Amino acid sequence: MAKKRPQTKASRPQPTGRGRTAGADEPVPVVGAREPCPCGSGRRYKACHGRTATHAVTELVQRPFEGLAGECDWVALRELVPAATVRLTLRDGLPEGVPSVTLATVLPMAWPALRRDDGSVLLGLQNDTSSGDLSRDLADTLTRALAAEPGNPVGAGRSSSSEGPRLQDLLDPAAPFEPEVHAGFEFWIPESAENSTPEVAASLERANAAAIPTVKLSGTDAAYWCETPEKNHLRWVMPHPEEKLLDALARLHAAGAGSLSEGTRLVGSFRAHGLVVPVWDLPSGMGAEECEKPAAGFAERLAEALAVDTPLTGEERRARGGLTNRQVTLS
C-alpha cells in the first residue's frame, strides 16, 4: 500500500490568490504546476502544495491487487485476457438500487465504468489510471459508478489523494473471484436491450476483431491458453516470490523438465503488478484441453523445485540468466 502523505496545511490562515482567506483545514485547489500556489505562499504550485499531489500521483504500488481474492487472476485480466467478466461482492453489501457489480476487462469506448439502465454497475479494468496505485484508482471509479445515475457511463477521474479507499477496503475478502472468459464482447449489451447506439456497435465490432482467442484452464489457477496466427501459448500468472520462482524454473530448465510436454517450450516470462508470468510456446494444434494434464504435471514439478533451498549449480545459474534475459516487464 502506498504510504499516506497528508496534504500540507498552513499553520495559520493564508490569503488566497482570489483575495479571500483560506482556513487551515480548507483544501488547497489544484492549479497548473507553474501557477502561483493558491495557499498564498508566493511559490509556484509545483514547489509548494503540488509536491504532495505529485508524489501521490507518481508513487507506484508494486502489487496493487495484493490481499484480494484471486490476485493472480486480477493480474491476468488486467494485462493478458481480452474479454472476461467477474461478479464482485462488496464488503458492505450492494447499495439500494444496484442489483449487481461486475468487473470487465474492457468496456465500450474504454469507459472506466458504466451504470446500466437497471442500476447494475460494470467496472472496467484495462484503463489508464491517474496515480501509481491502481487499486485506489479503481476503487474511486467504482465509488463514483455506484452513485451515478442509471444509464450513464462514468468518466475518468483525477484523484491526487492517497487517503481514499482501495479495492481491498470495498470488496469482500472472503468472496470467490471466478473469471468468466468470453469469446467476444457481446456482454457489453444486455440481453434485454433490443439494440445499441451506433458508437457502441462500432466499438464492439473493433474490439471483437482485435480479440485473441483465450481460454482459462479449469484445473490450474490463473493459467490462460491463447491462440495466435503463428502458434499457441500458455501464460500462467504465479503467486510465488520472483527470486524463488526464477530459481525453481531454472532448476527445472537445467534438468530438462521446464517444458509442459513434448513440443512445448518455456520461452520467457512477463513481470506484471509484482508477479511473474511464465510463458510457454505450444504447437499450433495444441488446444486448451490438451494443456490441462501437462499443466497439472508441471505444477507438481514446480512445487518440488520450490521446496529446494540449496544453491544453484553452474548450469542452473546459466539457465536462470537466460530466463532473466527473456523477461519483459508489463507494469
Side-chain angles (χ1 to χ4, degrees), residues 1-9 49-60 136 160-164:
M1 181 180 295
K3 295 180 180 178
K4 294 183 177 180
R5 297 178 181 269
Q7 187 180 58
T8 303
K9 296 182 175 68
H49 282 82
R51 287 180 175 178
T52 301
T54 299
H55 188 89
V57 168
T58 60
E59 188 173 20
L60 179 64
R136 199 179 306 280
S160 61
S161 172
S162 60
E163 303 288 340

Side-chain angles (χ1 to χ4, degrees), residues 295-314:
F298 181 85
E300 294 178 359
R301 299 196 300 275
L302 179 63
E304 295 174 357
L306 285 166
V308 178
D309 57 5
T310 57
L312 297 179
T313 66

